[in-house]
Amino acid sequence: MERKHSPLSKFFDVIDKLESILCGGTLVCLLIVVLLQVGSRLMGFRLTWTEETTRFFFLWMMFLAVAAGFNRAESSRVVILVNLLPRPIQMLCTVLYYVVTLGFFGFMVKYGIDLTMQKFAFNEMATAVAIPMGAVMICVPLCGLLGIIGTIQSFLEYPHKVAIGGDKK
């Protein structure tokens, strides 16, 4: 039993594709920048912008990957102790999983927007590449929103993967 199709399946497919493209794109860009950095050092000169650019691509890639991990309920969870609890409490833990996850991503959206707006308001610029820091930090609320969408997708289409205690009756 893999995916249960929901009325939002086409929307989720578009979001999944977008996340895959963004994650892959940031990984390729990260690889290119790191190779440029290593190559320039081997040739005896330094590209000053590569260290900061690497950090920004890594930040985007990491936040995108966290959000993408929730699409198919592939996020890490340790449920060994929860499986020892009675079935009603296990079901409560499953509900708690969704509530805490949505709360965390909601926190990311709210405070990520605040952080991004602050960066734009103070006109903060990256040191080496001279781009607005708000453009870098916008990944926080964006990935929080993608995480909320992914959690809803896992609730609708992969509930068997999230259910603690398996298919016990």
Side-chain angles (χ1 to χ4, degrees):
M1 183 163 135
E2 197 52 33
R3 179 179 181 183
K4 285 176 42 180
H5 287 280
S6 71
L8 298 173
S9 288
K10 289 185 189 280
F11 172 72
F12 293 142
D13 290 342
V14 169
I15 296 296
D16 289 351
K17 188 73 163 172
L18 175 69
E19 286 175 342
S20 295
I21 290 169
L22 289 173
C23 278
T26 55
L27 178 63
V28 168
C29 291
L30 179 69
L31 178 66
I32 290 169
V33 171
V34 169
L35 289 175
L36 280 171
Q37 183 179 30
V38 171
S40 69
R41 286 186 182 188
L42 288 174
M43 289 188 269
F45 63 94
R46 293 186 66 185
L47 298 173
T48 56
W49 57 271
T50 56
E51 291 177 31
E52 192 173 60
T53 306
T54 299
R55 189 170 36 254
F56 295 157
F57 279 127
F58 181 77
L59 183 73
W60 269 84
M61 185 179 65
M62 187 248 339
F63 275 110
L64 285 165
V66 166
F70 283 85
N71 294 354
R72 293 180 184 88
E74 294 170 344
S75 58
S76 300
R77 295 182 302 141
V78 179
V79 294
I80 293 171
L81 295 176
V82 176
N83 282 333
L84 299 175
L85 297 172
R87 182 74 179 144
I89 296 176
Q90 288 179 3
M91 293 170 61
L92 178 66
C93 289
T94 300
V95 171
L96 190 62
Y97 164 81
Y98 284 116
V99 170
V100 169
T101 301
L102 289 171
F104 171 73
F105 284 127
F107 178 86
M108 277 180 63
V109 170
K110 182 193 183 318
Y111 289 102
I113 289 171
D114 292 347
L115 176 68
T116 302
M117 290 297 133
Q118 179 185 17
K119 299 290 182 189
F120 280 122
F122 290 133
N123 213 13
E124 278 188 51
M125 301 293 279
T127 308
V129 290
I131 60 171
M133 286 302 294
V136 175
M137 297 313 296
I138 202 162
C139 69
V140 177
L142 172 69
C143 294
L145 181 63
L146 291 173
I148 289 171
I149 293 168
T151 303
I152 293 168
Q153 179 181 3
S154 68
F155 175 76
L156 294 175
E157 297 185 348
Y158 299 94
H160 56 283
K161 286 187 174 183
V162 177
I164 298 171
D167 294 327
K168 296 181 211 169
K169 300 282 182 199

